[in-house]
Amino acid sequence: MNYSNSELVEELTELGYLKSQSLIDSFLAIDRKDFVPESLLEFAYYNEPLPIGNDQTISQPLTVAFMLELLDLKAGDKVLEIGSGSGWQTSLIAKMVEYSGGIAEDKDGRYGVISLERIDSLAQMAINNVSKYGFVERGVVKIINFDGTKGYETEAPFDKIIASASGKEIPQAWKDQLVIGGKIVTPVEESIVVLDKTGKNEFQKREFHGFAFVPLISG
Ligand code: SAH
């Protein structure tokens, strides 16, 4: 079992889930204990999902590492996340896309990460947690209480879209709100699907089986 964030990162690296240096740095900078309920702090660095209330969980670390490696984030990417939950993954993404000088300066005031959460109390929890790193205050992250199956038209298009809850199919809105050359990484049932947008209505698809997710709920 792991007793520190760096031990968790070491485990994920040894197991082969974390590969790129920028993502390893991001996992080291964002401490999982800042996103776990106080009563579960002793388990913060276990490679397990943990309950965060409202029948939802903070995702399993290996799943987050695997999906973020696939998402291939770069500084300056505009990202849509569906399912903020604890805000842990939101913060990992923010760390990857924020320019060292602050995203607002470099992107004409546009947010780097729009994160949608359908349960209001979790959206509030995510805002509190993500604020521990100043991402909300610096204008890198905006967390909105909204049904993510619709995407978020007012901030579209996005370079990258990632969901942490699983539906039966990928919503059309996500495909429409993605730039050509952009990428969606999302669960579909028990698989992780990667869609690369190669043309207006053209996508290349890859699929990885054998993961577990909470359901994507519409409305
Ligand atoms: N990556 C998050 C995972 C949270 S679990 C973390 O590590 O904390 C998935 C989240 O997706 C839950 O909080 C759930 O409420 C949310 N969710 C489910 N359906 C949704 C929808 N249609 N729109 C927005 N959020 C949704």
Side-chain angles (χ1 to χ4, degrees):
M1 286 306 160
N2 307 310
Y3 299 100
S4 68
N5 198 59
S6 56
E7 282 181 71
L8 171 61
V9 173
E10 211 169 289
E11 181 187 345
L12 294 172
T13 310
E14 275 166 14
L15 292 173
Y17 289 101
L18 280 180
K19 296 192 181 95
S20 60
Q21 193 56 49
S22 57
L23 192 57
I24 291 171
D25 291 344
S26 175
F27 266 75
L28 286 171
I30 308 296
D31 193 319
R32 195 166 185 255
K33 81 163 166 20
D34 292 328
F35 303 87
V36 164
E38 224 175 290
S39 59
L40 298 173
L41 275 181
E42 61 185 299
F43 308 113
Y45 305 119
Y46 289 18
N47 193 2
E48 308 270 354
L50 297 169
I52 54 172
N54 296 83
D55 290 329
Q56 305 303 324
T57 58
I58 178 171
S59 306
Q60 183 168 14
L62 72 81
T63 307
V64 173
F66 188 74
M67 291 182 81
L68 290 183
E69 285 288 1
L70 289 169
L71 197 60
D72 192 24
L73 292 164
K74 309 257 188 306
D77 273 352
K78 171 104 180 173
V79 184
L80 177 67
E81 179 190 48
I82 296 94
S84 324
S86 68
W88 178 47
Q89 178 174 276
T90 318
S91 301
L92 291 165
I93 296 169
K95 180 77 188 155
M96 298 286 290
V97 304
E98 185 177 25
Y99 290 110
S100 49
I103 201 120
E105 293 167 34
D106 295 86
K107 292 184 73 81
D108 302 326
R110 293 198 315 150
Y111 294 98
V113 188
I114 299 293
S115 183
L116 308 176
E117 172 54 58
R118 63 177 284 278
I119 300 175
D120 191 40
S121 59
L122 291 181
Q124 293 310 317
M125 176 202 277
I127 291 170
N128 282 340
N129 290 340
V130 171
S131 294
K132 293 175 188 171
Y133 292 86
F135 290 125
V136 173
E137 295 71 9
R138 289 199 298 282
V140 184
V141 171
K142 188 171 191 183
I143 293 165
I144 307 163
N145 179 211
F146 195 75
D147 173 11
T149 58
K150 301 185 180 79
Y152 203 70
E153 186 62 46
T154 44
E155 291 274 349
F158 299 97
D159 300 306
K160 309 279 167 70
I161 297 179
I162 183 166
S164 47
S166 182
K168 287 210 178 317
E169 55 190 27
I170 301 177
Q172 185 61 38
W174 301 357
K175 297 181 186 174
D176 294 341
Q177 293 176 19
L178 191 67
V179 300
I180 295 171
K183 200 187 277 290
I184 299 176
V185 177
T186 181
V188 176
E189 300 190 317
E190 254 108 70
S191 297
I192 291 169
V193 172
V194 182
L195 282 190
D196 285 296
K197 187 163 175 174
T198 52
K200 198 168 181 301
N201 290 306
E202 287 158 40
F203 293 87
Q204 277 177 357
K205 182 176 172 184
R206 284 178 288 157
E207 215 167 332
F208 303 87
H209 302 290
F211 294 86
F213 296 94
V214 299
L216 180 72
I217 297 168
S218 188

